Amino acid sequence: MSGKRGAIYEDLLAVPEHKVAEIVEGDLFASPRPRIRHARVGTALVGALYDQFDRGLSGPGGWWILYEPELHLGGDILVPDIAGWRHETIEVLPDDPAFTVAPDWVCEILSPSTFELDHQRKCPAYARNHVTWLWLIDPGERTLDVYHRDGKRWAKSESHRADDRVHAEPFEAAELDLSLLWP
């Protein structure tokens, strides 16, 4: 998974399209596209959050929720599975290929092929770049772990399993039925 050290954006662009390419602390990582179970969990979560928080159809609104946005944060180029920005953070979505403003929330859906990258490299990069909330979802274990940034580190604030109905920060204003995430 780890490739070139001292990578630059042109190295990232040279990675085949069937891979997800990221640069973390100058190291290029090229990961396989997510498996179907992973994509299904991401799609279900985006759907649940989008209607309630992005569009505000059945919830409080006030967020932009996006699937696999490219983030250019400091020297890091990251692609979280899902990310969200409060409207106070970004009033209008830019029409650019990447964001240079850190999201308020990111979600990584864990896979065996990216587990180490997500935990050891990307999570610290999100904290270093001032993301406030982090969700780690494990489809195999059917768990959701919620973290809040405490300085430059993550503090776990909640842990949920299987069919729990949760009010997880930063989306505690509405209930999320975890059973809807699992294929």
Side-chain angles (χ1 to χ4, degrees), residues 16-179:
E17 287 186 28
H18 68 280
K19 301 264 187 182
V20 177
E22 301 173 284
I23 297 175
V24 185
E25 293 184 299
D27 295 339
L28 176 66
F29 295 89
S31 306
R33 297 292 311 160
R35 291 182 169 207
I36 292 171
R37 176 172 64 175
H38 178 118
R40 170 65 173 89
V41 169
T43 300
L45 181 58
V46 167
L49 295 176
Y50 182 80
D51 281 348
Q52 295 184 63
F53 292 95
D54 190 306
R55 295 187 61 205
L57 296 178
S58 59
W63 285 80
W64 304 110
I65 306 290
L66 296 171
Y67 193 74
E68 291 190 347
E70 186 171 304
L71 310 176
H72 291 215
L73 306 174
D76 297 319
I77 299 174
L78 305 164
V79 181
D81 291 307
I82 309 168
W85 291 259
R86 291 180 183 264
H87 288 180
E88 294 83 31
T89 303
I90 296 180
E91 289 184 38
V92 177
L93 285 178
D95 188 24
D96 298 319
F99 287 87
T100 57
V101 174
D104 296 294
W105 164 82
V106 295
C107 176
E108 289 292 352
I109 302 164
L110 303 175
S111 318
S113 63
T114 62
F115 189 88
E116 186 176 315
L117 171 62
D118 288 339
H119 273 89
Q120 294 181 2
R121 301 297 296 270
K122 289 177 74 175
C123 288
Y126 292 135
R128 183 173 60 251
N129 287 290
H130 307 289
V131 173
T132 305
W133 292 281
L134 167 68
W135 285 12
L136 296 178
I137 295 180
D138 187 330
E141 297 295 320
R142 295 183 171 197
T143 59
L144 162 63
D145 291 325
V146 177
Y147 297 84
H148 188 271
R149 185 172 45 83
D150 182 13
K152 292 190 177 187
R153 305 190 71 162
W154 292 109
K156 187 186 282 189
S157 57
E158 304 173 49
S159 223
H160 304 284
R161 298 193 60 81
D163 299 336
D164 290 352
R165 292 176 174 271
V166 303
H167 292 267
E169 60 180 355
F171 304 109
E172 63 271 15
E175 184 175 81
L176 175 63
D177 180 355
L178 293 185
S179 70

Side-chain angles (χ1 to χ4, degrees), residues 4 6-13 23 26 28 77:
K4 183 177 181 180
I8 59 173
Y9 192 68
E10 287 71 24
D11 297 318
L12 185 139
L13 295 174
I23 297 175
L28 176 66
I77 299 174

